[in-house]
Amino acid sequence: MVKNYLKITFRSLRKHRIYSLINILGLSIGFICCLFIAIYVDDELKYDRFHSKADDIYRVTREFFSQDGSTSLHLSQIAPPFAEYFRADFPEMQKVCRIAFYGGTVEYEDKIFDEENFGFADAEIFEIFSFNFVAGDPQTALTEPGSVVISEEVAKRYFGTTEALNKVIRYSDQINFKVTGIIEKLPETSHFELELIGDFAPVQMFYGGRENMMKAWGSNNFSTYFLLNKEESIKSIDSRFPEFLTKHVAEDATEWNALHIQKMTDIHLRSNLDNEQGLNSDITYVYIFISIGLLILFIACINYMNLATARSANRAKEVGMRKVLGAGKSSLVGQFLTESIILVFVSIIIAIVIVGVTLPYFRQFTDRELFLDSSQLLSWLSIIVSIGIFVGVLAGSYPAFFLSSFSPLKVLKGKLGSGSKSSALRKVLVVVQFSISVVLIASTLIVFDQINYMANKNLGYQTEQMLTMRLSESIQEKYELFKNVLLEHPSIISIGSSRRIPSDQLLDSSGAEADIDGEMKAPEVVIKRLDTGYDFLETYGMEMAAGRWFSKSYGSDDTAAYVLNEEAVKTIGWKTNEEALGRSFTYGGRAGKVIGVSKNIHFESLRSDINPVVMFIPNESNKRFMSIKMKPQDVHQTISYIEEQWAGFSPKFPIDYRFLDDRFETLYQTEAQRSKLFTGFSFLAIFLACLGLLGLASFTVAQRTKEISIRKVLGASLQTILLVLSKEFLVLVLVSVIVAAPITWMFMSDWLNGYAYRIDMSLIPFFMAGLISVFIALSTIGSQTFKAATSNPVKGLRDE
């Protein structure tokens, strides 16, 4: 029986090559999309899973409240004293580890390296996380002061070999470290990067000793993890956090802050807190891409159904003859399902080959290190085989039952009775196909509009030709001299300094009090701080709403003057910007007066609301960044001049600079990447939908051949016949647009709500999506209808 099924299947495939190729092409594209999406989603889901104890590792985060109870800040990092008290108060925490991601310069002999992935950690780090040691003992690697563990790549870069144990490197021209371990680089699927890990002793030294560090409750710069005893409940720890805060931090600690627990494996997809170690993803997009993959595969299945029924007229006599010769319905169903399953597996094989060949290009397209894990090969194959059988049965079920239901008497007389029900079902399937395609196309257009809006929105300051760089300690000490030397270059317009630069998060805040109705009161919402230099406003081209900016002409501006933004004035409760001028204002215990109100600017990402901000002139040590406004001419020459002067002022610290617009582009890199994926999958979806439309057009033309011939004999013009044949398809496409519009509106409205500043959706994306669909649909059915309309009517009527 099976042998007979296979023989007939391959005979049918050879006889109907064009339809077979179209079916295989459609199914192959569907499986290619699904495989690429599966690889992408698998990469997202396996973040941090390479740690052997991944399911028992947790991170503690810290949330701060404003006086009105709203969240002012939710940090992924906490203060250093917490970890030590955790060890004493929570026996459920089997191991506790702090990691401080400081970065810095590293010297070896005459070479200097700028290392972003340098961190300091407790010795327990290697008992909690799975670092693969190439050399050294993880049990003792960080137990001695002055110890450092480095990656193989770092060892080769510094020493030219991985034989690096006991070699000495110097950190930030302050501390000597002895290499006590060599590790493999962490996989790309880690939510943090560490290539050099120093022991924790220097951190205590930075704070002036352990005693001072244990009082630093406001220094929230430490990612703190713990390993949970499996038998203990995480809820028990969480319920005791309020009591813990009251005991160790302050009696009223629960009124202004809280601690929370995150599972480490949830961080990448379910955490976008302040001060994360990198841009995390979102579980929502995982669901979206899985849905897109399934929808595209579903479209491919619909194609098979439509194309199979489209050529039913060609196979009707075959079915009739087989029934006359004694073939039962189950035998016919088995035959057609076998054909479907074989087509599916041929398509899967083609898809696997194409994915294997094009995977490097997909890596470039997504900018991700995507690969097929050989250890999961058996699992992948079993899933693919299961999906193949399921899709084969799903795609072949309707054609199988449809074709096997033909009456042998009617089909042998040439009367193919497809029935109105099957015709209606095929139309519904085409509407579903194009509705999915329109949803994807319209969504893609809206995503592009939002990205374009973010890229071109007026942020309230200049970003073009703005070079930003982190200052070394030696530059900070000679800041004014260095600045004046740079300003001697004719292409440098202005230079400003600040503790943070636009595109950063405003994480710093202190207690504020403002003169409200003659009484000093704390605002309901926390006011963030931005430490700036005198030339910051001029350099960025910011505008004042009232009052003035800081000036060296006023002796007290660097000790007792504040500039607020408009949002801060609103938060405090002053009715106008002018009313704020001259008012008493205290911040972090520093008393002063409000001298000006700046217009609101978008300092952070457009995902965030504009924060209330206070600006003031800090001490010299807070000048962490320099912003340089340059002329657009001779940019490379200007940068060379800056590099040359830097080398003279700070020879031991490599220069680290970036253009501001590049920093903002990085902020929206994830959206840009996803929009590219959306675009690619959207056009593949509509291509597959067109294959389905081709099937329906072929079927309709086959059914209406005699009608077309009669119309031509009676004098109908070519245009009339084309209109008659195309009208039905255009109606289906227009119905698809009507169905897709509210679905897209609802879905994209929810997506746009994730942005504090977003576009207002218009009808243009829906109109464009409909126009694209109609154009492609007309192009698809044009060949079939034109062929039918120009055929010889005698051929269509000869059977009569």
Side-chain angles (χ1 to χ4, degrees):
M1 179 74 74
V2 174
K3 182 179 179 181
N4 186 52
Y5 285 166
L6 294 174
K7 184 187 295 185
I8 296 173
T9 295
F10 288 114
R11 184 187 299 162
S12 176
L13 292 178
R14 286 196 303 271
K15 184 178 179 181
H16 305 285
R17 291 185 181 89
I18 300 300
Y19 281 105
S20 298
L21 286 174
I22 292 175
N23 271 322
I24 291 172
L25 175 63
L27 289 169
S28 296
I29 291 174
F31 280 114
I32 288 169
C33 291
C34 283
L35 284 172
F36 276 135
I37 289 174
I39 293 170
Y40 183 86
V41 168
D42 179 66
D43 188 70
E44 291 280 83
L45 294 176
K46 67 185 181 186
Y47 261 74
D48 297 307
R49 289 283 175 185
F50 61 90
H51 296 289
S52 61
K53 302 172 183 175
D55 289 328
D56 298 317
I57 301 174
Y58 295 82
R59 182 176 72 174
V60 182
T61 67
R62 193 177 189 186
E63 182 181 15
F64 290 89
F65 308 117
S66 297
Q67 284 199 325
D68 63 357
S70 62
T71 299
S72 65
L73 207 60
H74 192 167
L75 294 168
S76 66
Q77 299 177 329
I78 63 176
F82 282 110
E84 301 220 17
Y85 288 118
F86 286 163
R87 294 185 181 108
D89 289 24
F90 296 99
E92 301 97 325
M93 297 183 182
Q94 185 177 343
K95 298 290 179 181
V96 181
C97 168
R98 294 163 293 189
I99 306 176
F101 300 88
Y102 279 160
T105 57
V106 178
E107 296 177 65
Y108 177 69
E109 295 180 344
D110 60 342
K111 295 179 287 188
I112 302 176
F113 305 89
D114 189 15
E115 298 291 354
E116 292 183 1
N117 300 323
F118 195 121
F120 298 89
D122 292 304
E124 290 89 341
I125 185 172
F126 301 124
E127 298 181 65
I128 296 176
F129 300 102
S130 298
F131 287 86
N132 295 325
F133 270 73
V134 176
D137 183 359
Q139 298 296 322
T140 59
L142 294 182
T143 55
E144 295 295 327
S147 302
V148 67
V149 175
I150 64 176
S151 70
E152 290 179 291
E153 287 79 0
V154 169
K156 291 175 183 176
R157 195 163 68 242
Y158 290 4
F159 316 115
T161 176
T162 56
E163 301 294 328
L165 289 182
N166 299 318
K167 292 186 180 293
V168 177
I169 59 177
R170 187 165 179 80
Y171 173 75
S172 290
D173 200 27
Q174 296 178 5
I175 306 167
N176 288 333
F177 281 105
K178 183 176 71 174
V179 177
T180 55
I182 310 293
I183 56 174
E184 293 180 3
K185 187 177 180 181
L186 286 173
E188 295 287 335
T189 52
S190 172
H191 76 277
F192 64 76
E193 293 183 63
L194 274 178
E195 292 192 278
L196 300 97
I197 310 171
D199 73 279
F200 208 73
V203 177
Q204 296 184 6
M205 184 185 71
F206 295 155
Y207 279 90
R210 180 179 180 279
E211 185 177 346
N212 286 337
M213 188 186 71
M214 291 300 290
K215 298 176 184 177
W217 293 106
S219 182
N220 296 289
N221 302 310
F222 296 79
S223 294
T224 304
Y225 303 85
F226 67 87
L227 186 65
L228 184 71
N229 286 329
K230 290 186 178 181
E231 65 272 12
E232 302 293 348
S233 170
I234 203 71
K235 293 181 180 179
S236 173
I237 299 174
D238 194 52
S239 65
R240 283 144 53 201
F241 270 158
E243 179 185 349
F244 173 86
L245 288 170
T246 302
K247 175 182 176 183
H248 294 292
V249 181
E251 290 185 3
D252 63 343
T254 55
E255 297 177 12
W256 51 270
N257 84 142
L259 296 177
H260 302 282
I261 299 172
Q262 281 184 326
K263 194 168 186 177
M264 183 189 64
T265 51
D266 288 342
I267 291 175
H268 178 66
L269 291 175
R270 293 179 172 87
S271 178
N272 281 290
L273 305 181
D274 299 302
N275 211 25
E276 292 277 10
Q277 287 309 302
L279 288 175
N280 289 333
S281 187
D282 192 325
I283 190 65
T284 302
Y285 289 101
V286 170
Y287 297 142
I288 289 171
F289 281 115
I290 290 174
S291 300
I292 289 174
L294 293 176
L295 289 173
I296 288 176
L297 192 58
F298 181 58
I299 289 175
C301 293
I302 293 175
N303 285 349
Y304 181 86
M305 296 179 191
N306 279 334
L307 289 170
T309 53
R311 65 188 182 97
S312 59
N314 297 327
R315 302 198 67 179
K317 290 184 179 179
E318 173 196 339
V319 173
M321 286 298 297
R322 292 178 65 189
K323 278 195 169 186
V324 168
L325 294 174
K329 185 171 183 178
S330 60
S331 174
L332 292 171
V333 169
Q335 174 62 52
F336 293 124
L337 287 179
T338 301
E339 288 185 19
S340 174
I341 292 172
I342 288 176
L343 268 176
V344 166
F345 276 96
V346 169
S347 303
I348 287 176
I349 292 170
I350 293 172
I352 291 173
V353 172
I354 292 176
V355 168
V357 171
T358 59
L359 188 57
Y361 302 101
F362 190 64
R363 288 194 194 104
Q364 294 178 6
F365 185 69
T366 58
D367 196 26
R368 299 279 289 271
E369 288 296 322
L370 304 174
F371 61 93
L372 288 170
D373 192 345
S374 58
S375 65
Q376 297 178 321
L377 188 59
L378 190 60
S379 300
W380 277 89
L381 285 175
S382 61
I383 292 172
I384 289 172
V385 169
S386 301
I387 291 174
I389 295 172
F390 175 77
V391 171
V393 173
L394 176 66
S397 57
Y398 173 65
F401 287 103
F402 172 70
L403 292 172
S404 63
S405 65
F406 288 165
S407 169
L409 182 61
K410 290 183 178 180
V411 295
L412 291 175
K413 286 183 176 181
K415 298 178 180 180
L416 177 61
S418 64
S420 60
K421 290 184 179 179
S422 59
S423 175
L425 178 59
R426 285 191 298 275
K427 293 177 183 178
V428 169
L429 292 177
V430 170
V431 170
V432 171
Q433 284 182 307
F434 269 87
S435 295
I436 294 170
S437 302
V438 171
V439 168
L440 291 175
I441 293 173
S443 299
T444 300
L445 294 174
I446 293 170
V447 169
F448 270 116
D449 281 348
Q450 176 64 19
I451 292 174
N452 186 60
Y453 169 81
M454 293 188 296
N456 296 291
K457 187 177 185 340
N458 182 7
L459 302 177
Y461 52 88
Q462 299 175 16
T463 59
E464 298 81 9
Q465 303 304 128
M466 186 72 70
L467 191 75
T468 64
M469 59 185 181
R470 182 183 292 274
L471 299 178
S472 65
E473 290 184 14
S474 55
I475 295 286
Q476 289 182 27
E477 293 170 359
K478 305 172 186 176
Y479 174 79
E480 289 298 330
L481 178 60
F482 180 65
K483 172 185 171 182
N484 291 332
V485 170
L486 293 185
L487 286 172
E488 292 176 2
H489 194 281
S491 292
I492 296 179
I493 301 170
S494 179
I495 296 176
S497 64
S498 57
R499 181 178 176 84
R500 297 191 183 274
I501 52 177
S503 76
D504 277 349
Q505 290 180 299
L506 289 168
L507 302 175
D508 310 308
S509 64
S510 301
E513 288 187 337
D515 177 9
I516 305 174
D517 298 328
E519 184 180 350
M520 297 298 289
K521 297 179 181 178
E524 289 291 313
V525 177
V526 169
I527 298 178
K528 305 295 178 66
R529 63 182 282 179
L530 176 59
D531 304 15
T532 69
Y534 288 101
D535 297 327
F536 186 82
L537 180 93
E538 175 189 352
T539 302
Y540 278 96
M542 292 166 53
E543 297 180 15
M544 298 297 292
R548 64 176 178 84
W549 186 253
F550 305 107
S551 172
K552 291 182 180 179
S553 303
Y554 296 86
S556 62
D557 273 10
D558 61 348
T559 57
Y562 292 101
V563 173
L564 305 176
N565 70 346
E566 294 174 300
E567 187 64 25
V569 171
K570 179 182 176 182
T571 296
I572 291 169
W574 290 322
K575 295 179 181 179
T576 64
N577 295 325
E578 288 73 17
E579 185 183 342
L581 301 179
R583 291 294 187 99
S584 296
F585 188 83
T586 300
Y587 198 77
R590 175 192 181 201
K593 300 284 186 181
V594 177
I595 63 168
V597 178
S598 72
K599 290 189 176 180
N600 287 333
I601 64 170
H602 295 278
F603 196 91
E604 301 176 317
S605 162
L606 291 174
R607 301 184 193 95
S608 307
D609 290 309
I610 291 177
N611 285 303
V613 179
V614 56
M615 290 162 276
F616 55 92
I617 304 294
N619 57 46
E620 295 298 316
S621 64
N622 275 354
K623 290 180 177 177
R624 292 186 179 179
F625 289 95
M626 174 178 277
S627 301
I628 304 173
K629 179 66 178 176
M630 303 185 303
K631 294 179 181 178
Q633 299 82 14
D634 302 322
V635 172
H636 294 294
Q637 183 187 24
T638 306
I639 293 176
S640 296
Y641 175 78
I642 294 171
E643 290 175 335
E644 180 183 341
Q645 297 307 316
W646 178 283
F649 276 84
S650 184
K652 288 193 173 184
F653 293 86
I655 189 170
D656 178 19
Y657 64 82
R658 286 183 70 186
F659 280 98
L660 187 62
D661 48 8
D662 290 338
R663 293 176 65 93
F664 273 102
E665 186 177 338
T666 301
L667 279 182
Y668 307 126
Q669 181 179 348
T670 305
E671 281 85 355
Q673 180 193 93
R674 289 169 184 152
S675 69
K676 289 194 298 183
L677 289 174
F678 265 116
T679 304
F681 291 133
S682 297
F683 281 99
L684 283 174
I686 200 164
F687 175 76
L688 290 175
C690 288
L691 286 180
L693 194 62
L694 177 65
L696 184 61
S698 301
F699 180 81
T700 303
V701 169
Q703 290 288 85
R704 301 177 69 177
T705 301
K706 292 182 176 61
E707 175 195 339
I708 294 167
S709 300
I710 293 171
R711 286 180 181 274
K712 291 191 71 175
V713 169
L714 295 177
S717 66
L718 177 64
Q719 292 82 358
T720 302
I721 295 173
L722 286 173
L723 179 62
V724 169
L725 292 176
S726 302
K727 181 173 64 175
E728 180 182 347
F729 306 127
L730 288 177
V731 169
L732 293 177
V733 174
L734 292 174
V735 170
S736 301
V737 175
I738 295 170
V739 171
I743 297 173
T744 308
W745 189 282
M746 179 178 64
F747 168 68
M748 294 311 295
S749 294
D750 185 61
W751 180 76
L752 287 171
N753 284 336
Y755 295 87
Y757 299 91
R758 51 190 178 268
I759 60 171
D760 292 323
M761 272 198 295
S762 66
L763 296 177
I764 293 177
F766 302 95
F767 175 77
M768 292 298 297
L771 198 63
I772 292 170
S773 301
V774 169
F775 174 77
I776 295 176
L778 283 175
S779 301
T780 302
I781 63 179
S783 60
Q784 292 293 322
T785 54
F786 185 80
K787 180 181 177 182
T790 56
S791 62
N792 188 342
V794 175
K795 292 181 179 179
L797 295 171
R798 65 173 52 173
D799 290 337
E800 296 292 327

